[in-house]
Amino acid sequence: MGLSIAQLAFRREGIGASEVAAIVGHSKYEGPLEVYNRKVGITPDSPASRQAEQGSLQEGDILRWYSHDMLMAFPDEYRSLILVAPDALEGTNLYEPLLDSPGRPTGTLRSTQAPCLLCTPDGAWFDPFTSSIVRLVEIKNPGYSAGSREWGKDGLRVPPVYFDQCQYQMWFTGVPQIHLVARIAGNDS
């Protein structure tokens, strides 16, 4: 989902999953120095592009579509699971949810062990029988030109920037699986 004003403010205080690719040199938009300059206030945050805003606005619909598809394709496995917001992950002492000024969860988690580490997963599958998160969900909605270039002709090649982001989220939360759901220019992948 698109980041709220509160999430953007928290993001300046640490490193989030979407910034990992820049730090390790996999992003074509910025590198480690640009991330550092934003964090210390040398460079202001750049506004999201129109395409990025449109993609973010559609993420909720993509998440609902994905949930429906998973329940239809794998009813025995997913019937007992609940798709939840990232705030449901707060039940451990490893991370805490960040709250906005009225005290509502923002969806961003901060590590209690290393407060400079942040994570904002798009969703998670919760198993009420084991009271645990069994897999995370990350949503991507690239445009046609970016999608066909970055994801390969069949739409099955994961771009390194998203691979890095997913690996960080699994490491951060301790959840062993993540589903990367991409809707490339209206095509289901």
Side-chain angles (χ1 to χ4, degrees):
M1 314 296 163
L3 297 177
S4 68
I5 292 171
Q7 287 172 313
L8 289 171
F10 290 131
R11 194 174 180 165
R12 286 184 212 105
E13 299 176 12
I15 302 298
S18 62
E19 296 165 314
V20 171
I23 293 169
V24 299
H26 289 162
S27 173
K28 62 183 175 183
Y29 299 108
E30 65 179 355
L33 184 59
E34 288 84 4
V35 172
Y36 174 80
N37 287 342
R38 264 191 302 103
K39 300 298 177 182
V40 298
I42 295 171
T43 308
D45 289 327
S46 56
S49 69
R50 183 166 169 76
Q51 181 181 354
E53 285 181 1
Q54 289 172 343
S56 291
L57 289 172
Q58 295 172 8
E59 285 181 357
D61 292 333
I62 296 168
L63 195 59
R64 283 186 288 283
W65 155 79
Y66 155 78
S67 172
H68 175 267
D69 266 16
M70 294 309 286
L71 289 168
M72 298 306 289
F74 306 102
D76 293 338
E77 182 177 355
Y78 285 88
R79 182 177 311 128
S80 64
L81 301 179
I82 303 166
L83 190 60
V84 296
D87 303 315
L89 296 167
E90 69 182 83
T92 77
N93 61 356
L94 298 177
Y95 34 82
E96 62 184 356
L98 296 176
L99 308 176
D100 64 12
S101 54
R104 295 178 303 232
T106 62
T108 298
L109 306 169
R110 179 194 336 247
S111 170
T112 55
Q113 320 259 305
C116 65
L117 300 179
L118 308 171
C119 186
T120 310
D122 291 328
W125 286 103
F126 178 75
D127 183 341
F129 297 109
T130 63
S131 296
S132 64
I133 300 294
V134 294
R135 59 188 62 89
L136 300 173
V137 180
E138 181 60 32
I139 303 293
K140 296 299 172 196
N141 191 20
Y144 178 75
S145 62
S148 61
R149 260 192 333 273
E150 296 175 353
W151 293 82
K153 291 180 183 177
D154 58 4
L156 298 176
R157 187 177 71 101
V158 176
V161 293
Y162 302 138
F163 181 82
D164 295 342
Q165 183 178 7
C166 290
Q167 291 295 312
Y168 176 91
Q169 287 183 9
M170 289 188 299
W171 169 78
F172 181 97
T173 62
V175 176
Q177 293 182 17
I178 189 165
H179 284 186
L180 177 59
V181 181
R183 187 164 194 248
I184 301 171
N187 296 320
D188 305 336
S189 299

